[in-house]
Amino acid sequence: MKVVLSGGGTGGHIYPALTIGEEICHLHPGTELLYIGTASGLEAELVPKAGIPFATVASRGLNRKNLFASMQAAATALGGVWQSIGLLRQFRPQVVVGTGGYVCGPVLLAAFLLGIPTLIQEQNAIAGITNRLLSHVVDGVALGYAEASSRFSGRCRQAVTGNPVRREVLTAQREESLKQLGLSSSCKTLLVAGGSRGARSINQAMIEVHAALAMREDVQVLHITGKNEYNNVVDELRRRGLEEAPRLFVRPYLHEMPAALAAADLAVFRAGALGIAELTVRGVPAILVPYPYAAENHQEWNARVLANAGAAKVLGDAQLEEGLLQETVLTLLDDSQQLTAMAEASRALGRPQAARDIAEWAVKLVK
C-alpha cells in the first residue's frame, strides 16, 4: 500500500502526520509513505529525520488583511496543485492524509481531482481555515475535539477520534521515568513547558514560583524553558540566588518528554492541541496558559474544554503578571484530593487509541 501524508508549518501539524503514518505502517507492514510539504516549513527538517521520503510543492498562507497578498497566495496554491498532481501521479498512492497547514490545500485538492480517497485530521477545538475549506472535497474529517464539528462542511463524514499521540508517551512508566530524569520518587513533580521556543510570560512568572518552592522538600520542578529563553531564566535565577535550589531542574529543551509526562503530578503548559492530548492520555492535571496570538484564539478554546471537564485551570497571560500562577500552583500542590480529581477528569478525556483509529479509517478508504 502507498500513502501520502501532508501537513506543515508547525510541529502541531507535522507530528500528527508522522504518528498516523507510523500507525499505518504498524497495521500494514511494507506500506510505502511519501510526505509532501514545503521547502521552507519545519517539515523539511523533521520529516527526513524520521526517515520518510519527502517531496515539496509551492504553497503559502493566506493574508486575509491584504487582498493583493491573498491573490498572490492563491496563485502560488494553484501552482502547488499542479505540482501535487505530478507527484501523486508518479507515486500513485491509494489514500492521502492531511493534518493541516496551508500546504495541505494543494495536496488534498490534487488528490480529490485525481479521485484518490482523502482524509484530514483537525487537532484544535476551532478548526483551521485550510481544513475547513478542504472539508468540502475530502472523504472524511477526524476531529480532535467534538467542538470543531460545526465549522466543517456536512458533505464529508466526521468522527471524533481525538489527537494522535506518540507511542512513547503511552508506554513510559513512572518509576523508570523518574530514574531516567534523575528525579525523586518521594516528591511531587511539577512539569513546566511552554513549547520548543519557550513561552516568555510563563518563564517570567515561574521565577516567583521557584522562589516559593525553593525550600520545600516535597516538591521538585522540571522547567523546560525553550532554547531561546534558557539564558534569560538562568540569569534571573542566579540573580535571585535560586540557581542551586536542590530540587529545581532547568533545561533548555528535553528530548525525553514522554518520561517527563509520566513523572509529572502537575503541569504548566500552553494549550496546543498535541500538548493537551499528551497530558490527557497520561492523566496529568494542568494549569494551561493559552498563547494569546494563536490563530482564531484556538488555544483558548482548547483549554476551555479541559477546564469545563475539571481537568485543568486556565490562566491568561495578563493573569500571570498578577501573581496568579504562583497562587494556583501552590494551592493545587497542597490539595492532593483536588489533584486526584483533576487527574481522573484528564484521563477521561484522553484518547490513547486516536492514532490507530485514524490509521484504520485511512486504510478503510483505500479502494
Side-chain angles (χ1 to χ4, degrees):
M1 188 166 69
K2 293 184 175 183
V3 178
V4 162
L5 307 171
S6 185
T10 68
H13 295 311
I14 300 161
Y15 288 116
L18 296 177
T19 303
I20 294 166
E22 180 183 5
E23 284 299 322
I24 292 174
C25 290
H26 277 289
L27 288 172
H28 286 268
T31 294
E32 292 183 52
L33 300 177
L34 173 66
Y35 197 112
I36 302 179
T38 64
S40 59
L42 186 60
E43 62 271 23
E45 174 186 345
L46 297 179
V47 175
K49 284 184 179 179
I52 297 175
F54 180 65
T56 64
V57 297
S59 189
R60 56 191 292 188
L62 291 173
N63 185 333
R64 282 172 278 184
K65 296 181 179 180
N66 186 311
L67 178 59
F68 180 70
S70 294
M71 292 175 64
Q72 286 182 314
T76 301
L78 286 175
V81 172
W82 184 250
Q83 291 174 310
S84 298
I85 287 174
L87 288 171
L88 295 177
R89 281 177 170 167
Q90 182 180 2
F91 186 66
R92 302 182 68 183
Q94 279 92 6
V95 64
V96 176
V97 180
T99 53
Y102 50 81
V103 69
C104 281
V107 177
L108 275 290
L109 182 55
F112 166 73
L113 294 173
L114 293 173
I116 302 169
T118 50
L119 176 67
I120 56 175
Q121 198 267 324
E122 172 57 52
Q123 297 89 39
N124 294 297
I126 291 291
I129 185 170
T130 301
N131 278 352
R132 294 205 305 266
L133 292 172
L134 286 172
S135 69
H136 293 278
V137 298
V138 299
D139 296 295
V141 180
L143 300 170
Y145 294 89
E147 287 78 1
S149 177
S150 62
R151 297 295 186 100
F152 288 108
S153 165
R155 173 196 174 279
C156 62
R157 181 192 166 196
Q158 298 180 30
V160 182
T161 58
N163 287 314
V165 171
R166 296 170 290 170
R167 285 178 172 237
E168 305 94 297
V169 173
L170 301 174
T171 57
Q173 300 298 310
R174 179 178 173 83
E175 290 303 318
E176 293 177 7
S177 297
L178 287 166
K179 290 179 182 178
Q180 180 183 354
L181 296 169
L183 300 175
S184 170
S185 59
S186 62
C187 295
K188 289 180 179 177
T189 302
L190 172 64
L191 172 63
V192 183
S196 59
R197 295 182 179 179
R200 179 167 297 177
S201 59
I202 294 176
N203 287 334
Q204 290 175 340
M206 278 303 302
I207 300 298
E208 297 302 326
V209 180
H210 293 320
L213 295 175
M215 302 308 295
R216 287 186 56 160
E217 297 182 355
D218 62 331
V219 178
Q220 58 198 346
V221 184
L222 178 56
H223 183 174
I224 317 304
T225 63
K227 295 179 180 179
N228 295 344
E229 288 284 308
Y230 178 74
N231 289 335
N232 292 335
V233 172
V234 171
D235 288 346
E236 183 61 21
L237 289 172
R238 186 177 295 115
R239 191 182 70 82
R240 300 281 294 270
L242 298 169
E243 76 277 12
E244 295 184 3
R247 285 162 293 279
L248 172 58
F249 304 86
V250 181
R251 303 285 184 269
Y253 186 80
L254 191 71
H255 291 286
E256 301 86 359
M257 276 302 290
L261 288 160
D265 296 287
L266 176 65
V268 178
F269 267 43
R270 285 298 195 194
L274 293 194
I276 285 178
E278 293 182 342
L279 289 170
T280 56
V281 298
R282 296 297 320 190
V284 180
I287 300 169
L288 298 175
V289 186
Y291 178 56
Y293 305 108
E296 300 186 69
N297 202 26
H298 67 258
Q299 286 204 8
E300 177 75 22
W301 288 83
N302 294 348
R304 291 299 169 190
V305 173
L306 270 68
N308 291 340
K313 304 294 184 182
V314 180
L315 297 177
D317 264 26
Q319 292 176 296
L320 298 185
E321 299 175 5
E322 300 167 4
L324 285 182
L325 181 60
Q326 176 185 334
E327 178 183 329
T328 307
V329 166
L330 296 178
T331 298
L332 291 176
L333 288 174
D334 289 334
D335 191 342
S336 295
Q337 186 173 354
Q338 185 173 13
L339 277 184
T340 298
M342 290 175 69
E344 292 174 355
S346 177
R347 195 171 293 109
L349 292 173
R351 290 179 176 263
Q353 290 294 112
R356 176 160 288 252
D357 290 344
I358 297 167
E360 289 177 348
W361 187 357
V363 170
K364 287 178 183 177
L365 289 174
V366 173
K367 294 178 180 178

